[in-house]
Amino acid sequence: MSNYPKTSRLMQRGTDFLGCETAILCGAMSWVSERTLVSAISNAGGFGVIACGAMTPELLDTEIAATKALTSRPFGVNLITMHPQLFELIEVCRKHGVSHVVLAGGIPPKGSVEAIKGASGHDAKVICFAPTLALAKKLLRSGADALVIEGMEAGGHIGPVSTSVLAQEILPELADEHLIFVAGGIGKGQAIAGYLEMGAAGVQLGTRFACASESIAHPDFKKAFFRASARDAIASVQVDPRLPVIPVRALKNKGTEEFTAKQIEVAGMLDRGEVGMEEAQLQIEHFWAGALRRAVIDGDVEGGSLMAGQSVGMVKAEEPVADIIAQLMAESEEALTRR
């Protein structure tokens, strides 16, 4: 990307690792990060990532094949570590020669990193999410090739610490020797420039791409984003401390209240011994998957889940993916030039 020499230089390690032109990953958003958006991002020089979510191995197989039909450029697949068929999903990625697998949702289970790297036959790379410095070091020792540090400003499942604090804790400690991508609340290129200067190899954005022209999200879903401000994207509340509930950031609506009721229901099932902790977690995840689908696909912006990061206030209109990436790069380049 010769038009952005300063930004491209700082992204060089990230682009070499990802095999793309700009070290901008698209966060894996269930129902949104599918073949159309993923291929568009990769074709525009970024790095698209398929959100596997609750897909079966058969569905993932179809989605990867369909994405490969739309782009010849690299893309990744995001797998949830708690998925009961995780190792079958890894095998599907291996079969298709997926170059990068992102493991999200918790510490990778024993053997999963080795399954992605050792049995791949094509040197697949593993990217993991690290919410703390201690866990970041552990994941790198366990074989992760790169990390995403994602702050609580992000949409969807979030951790407890802000992006700026995570960046200050982790980048000075690890970025010289390891590939660290920063995510959470990034909506402008000026922020990208700052994290690159701190040592990040690149960035990940989700909310900024959710309403792209190529996104299949329902028009009403997109309109809800255009109307929203940063303060409308709130984190869910944990009702029962026993429930292993990861907070989720979404636009406040009736669906937010329904999640509270769902937690109370599952807690009652725990009390009665009808489910164990693992099943309770899966029920919570299935709730989110269904609620998100209702919003993204059906356009139910009242009862569905409008997962969005706090950068939603910077999303004002539909734009082609290529224009979004070009704008982010231009903003970053301008900021670095001013410095």
Side-chain angles (χ1 to χ4, degrees), residues 90-115:
I90 290 172
E91 174 59 24
V92 172
C93 293
R94 186 208 63 79
K95 174 186 134 181
H96 283 283
V98 172
S99 60
H100 298 70
V101 175
V102 183
L103 294 176
I107 297 175
K110 186 176 180 180
S112 57
V113 172
E114 293 80 2

Side-chain angles (χ1 to χ4, degrees), residues 41-124:
I41 288 169
S42 290
N43 286 334
F47 192 82
V49 180
I50 294 173
C52 175
M55 285 185 193
T56 63
E58 294 75 21
L59 285 173
L60 180 61
D61 183 77
T62 300
E63 197 61 37
I64 293 174
T67 305
K68 289 173 73 173
L70 295 172
T71 184
S72 60
R73 299 191 178 187
F75 61 88
V77 174
N78 180 294
L79 303 179
I80 306 299
T81 56
M82 69 183 70
H83 197 297
Q85 294 177 288
L86 176 62
F87 285 87
E88 290 95 321
L89 296 169
I90 290 172
E91 174 59 24
V92 172
C93 293
R94 186 208 63 79
K95 174 186 134 181
H96 283 283
V98 172
S99 60
H100 298 70
V101 175
V102 183
L103 294 176
I107 297 175
K110 186 176 180 180
S112 57
V113 172
E114 293 80 2
I116 295 166
K117 300 178 76 170
S120 66
H122 62 277
D123 193 26

Side-chain angles (χ1 to χ4, degrees), residues 118-203:
S120 66
H122 62 277
D123 193 26
K125 303 297 184 184
V126 177
I127 304 173
C128 294
F129 283 83
T132 67
L133 177 59
L135 185 56
K137 292 179 177 179
K138 177 179 174 63
L139 290 166
L140 290 168
R141 288 195 302 268
S142 300
D145 296 293
L147 301 176
V148 176
I149 55 173
E150 183 176 67
M152 66 182 299
E153 301 95 322
H157 292 83
I158 58 172
V161 182
S162 72
T163 304
S164 62
V165 172
L166 283 178
Q168 292 174 78
E169 287 181 342
I170 295 176
L171 290 176
E173 187 89 11
L174 299 177
D176 283 348
E177 297 182 11
H178 302 282
L179 294 159
I180 313 294
F181 296 88
V182 178
I186 300 174
K188 298 283 188 180
Q190 290 86 348
I192 295 174
Y195 290 126
L196 291 174
E197 285 187 315
M198 291 177 69
V203 294

Side-chain angles (χ1 to χ4, degrees), residues 282-301:
L282 284 172
Q283 288 211 18
I284 296 295
E285 292 305 312
H286 287 153
F287 170 88
W288 282 121
L292 186 58
R293 187 189 191 285
R294 291 198 302 275
V296 174
I297 304 300
D298 302 333
D300 180 4
V301 296

